[in-house]
Amino acid sequence: MPDDDTGEAPFWQAKSLDQMTPAEWESLCDGCGKCCLEKLEDADSGEISHTNVACRLLDIRRCRCTRYAERRRFVPNCEQLDPGNVHRFTWLPSSCAYRLLAEGRDLPWWHHLLSGDHELVHRVGASVQGRAIPERRAGPLEHHIVTWPA
Ligand code: SF4
Ligand code: SF4
């Protein structure tokens, strides 16, 4: 898709993930918050189950990490996505911009880089807004397995 003003393809189409600047890479995140829901891994099969329980640092209303810069001090197993490891995280939701581009697909129409609207991800129901519950109220994760984050 050509850029309206320059006639050139936008950066997420013109560049591979490892060619992007840090700012371009960060801007891909749609703010859905789905990767910040707790997951369960079957010890035998390695199968991942998604839950609707939010990481304790997730602001459920805004779908943003409240301590992003220092999050690994509080949540050491929070994964850092980068162009080299994005293929490994098969649990990323199918709508995740990083997953889509890594699989050679394009961004969805509601993505803020196309729509210019950071709130649209919530209005179309593609985020965790209104669907996640705080960790402190959840109890056993096994009681909260859901399929929609995938
Ligand atoms: S799932 Fe992907 S697009 Fe959504 S918040 Fe996580 S990294 Fe960003
Ligand atoms: S620490 Fe922040 S970025 Fe990591 S899973 Fe929790 S809310 Fe998400």
Side-chain angles (χ1 to χ4, degrees):
M1 180 191 67
D3 180 278
D4 286 347
D5 298 328
T6 65
E8 295 174 5
F11 76 85
W12 64 89
Q13 293 179 344
K15 295 182 176 184
S16 61
L17 291 175
D18 58 4
Q19 290 173 328
M20 293 180 187
T21 66
E24 287 170 341
W25 172 264
E26 289 295 324
S27 74
L28 291 176
C29 180
D30 63 27
C32 72
K34 288 179 178 173
C35 60
C36 301
L37 298 176
E38 301 292 348
K39 294 169 280 299
L40 288 168
E41 182 173 5
D42 185 285
D44 297 322
S45 67
E47 184 182 348
I48 299 286
S49 297
H50 296 266
T51 79
N52 63 351
V53 178
C55 168
R56 63 197 173 98
L57 291 190
L58 186 68
D59 177 332
I60 294 174
R61 191 180 60 79
R62 295 175 58 244
C63 306
R64 293 285 177 180
C65 183
T66 52
R67 309 291 286 269
Y68 186 71
E70 52 182 355
R71 65 195 186 285
R72 296 184 85 168
R73 271 180 52 208
F74 303 97
V75 183
N77 63 350
C78 176
E79 302 283 4
Q80 174 75 51
L81 274 184
D82 63 43
N85 68 17
V86 64
H87 293 276
R88 276 201 288 117
F89 299 130
T90 54
W91 45 261
L92 282 170
S94 56
S95 61
C96 174
Y98 299 101
R99 177 172 180 170
L100 288 169
L101 296 183
E103 292 177 349
R105 294 187 284 160
D106 206 349
L107 301 179
W109 65 270
W110 45 259
H111 193 282
H112 61 88
L113 288 173
L114 288 166
S115 69
D117 183 350
H118 284 268
E119 298 300 312
L120 200 49
V121 63
H122 309 308
R123 294 204 300 279
V124 301
S127 77
V128 307
Q129 194 177 73
R131 301 202 277 180
I133 61 172
E135 193 180 49
R136 67 181 180 282
R137 286 199 352 233
L141 288 180
E142 289 79 3
H143 296 175
H144 297 281
I145 292 175
V146 290
T147 55
W148 58 261

